[in-house]
Amino acid sequence: MKFATFNVNGIRAILGKGFADAFRAIDADLFALNETKWSDDSPGSFPFQPEGYETYFTNSKARKGYSGVAVFARNRPLSVHYGLLDGKYDEEGRVITLEYPAFYFVAAYVPNAGDGLKRLSFRMQYELDLLDYLNALKSKKEVIYCGDLNVAHEPIDLRNPKQNEGNPGYTKEERDSFSRLLQNGYHDVWRERNPDRAQYSWWSYRFHAREKNIGWRIDYFVLTEGLVPLVRDIRILDEVMGSDHCPVVMEADIDA
């Protein structure tokens, strides 16, 4: 199977920038979108519903035009769950989980700590709740967790680590939280395959950052132990334009 995750920074905006062509070219079996900013939660309202896929989406009920996750699935899942345990955080449209016979596919748009770190405590509680949720899933079957996780885990994961120390996405608290996730039996597959490679998945729109490749790696596939040997390839498609992020694509010998 092929899996993809892509923060599109607004589904309506990216549809005018060739997204449909990129979607077809990537040709994923499961394709997650983050930060869709889609406000209409009525069934069938999502503005991109590719033929041959089931479309699932959630959005922010608390603030229109904010957050939002969508998943396109070639194979219909056994079940679909929105939010974490008991649907927590679904009011912000943060998480969709698709269950298949051999695994759970968890697509997430992790909260940003915000300007002045005003949401850092909220973010840290999210991380604790997320780990509880993933562990509950892991007790039943393997887990694929992916999306814009809004953290550069190590200095190699951003171009200017010293200048960004303590900024949102590169605080000690956020990095330690990601380390705790890995210590609980989860694997950052791209970094394990590329231990010394600096490649990024997000660039600021300011100061021509993408042209200068002044970026951050904040989009991930995180897998449970049993799935890691099944991964054939994982790539950051930094040539794909249309957003301030780019897709991450993983291929693995996993059946839906």
Side-chain angles (χ1 to χ4, degrees), residues 159-191:
R159 178 72 172 271
N160 296 316
K162 290 184 179 179
Q163 295 93 317
N164 284 288
E165 188 72 48
N167 285 341
Y170 199 62
T171 63
K172 184 178 187 302
E173 293 89 341
E174 290 165 305
R175 295 160 63 196
D176 286 352
S177 182
F178 193 84
S179 294
R180 182 170 61 243
L181 178 65
L182 301 184
Q183 290 160 5
N184 271 262
Y186 301 88
H187 295 259
D188 174 2
V189 180
W190 191 91
R191 177 53 65 207

Side-chain angles (χ1 to χ4, degrees), residues 227-248:
L227 296 178
V228 175
L230 304 180
V231 176
R232 294 200 307 268
D233 187 34
I234 183 166
R235 291 171 289 141
I236 297 173
L237 304 186
D238 52 13
E239 73 278 8
V240 175
M241 308 298 285
S243 171
D244 53 348
H245 291 248
C246 72
V248 182

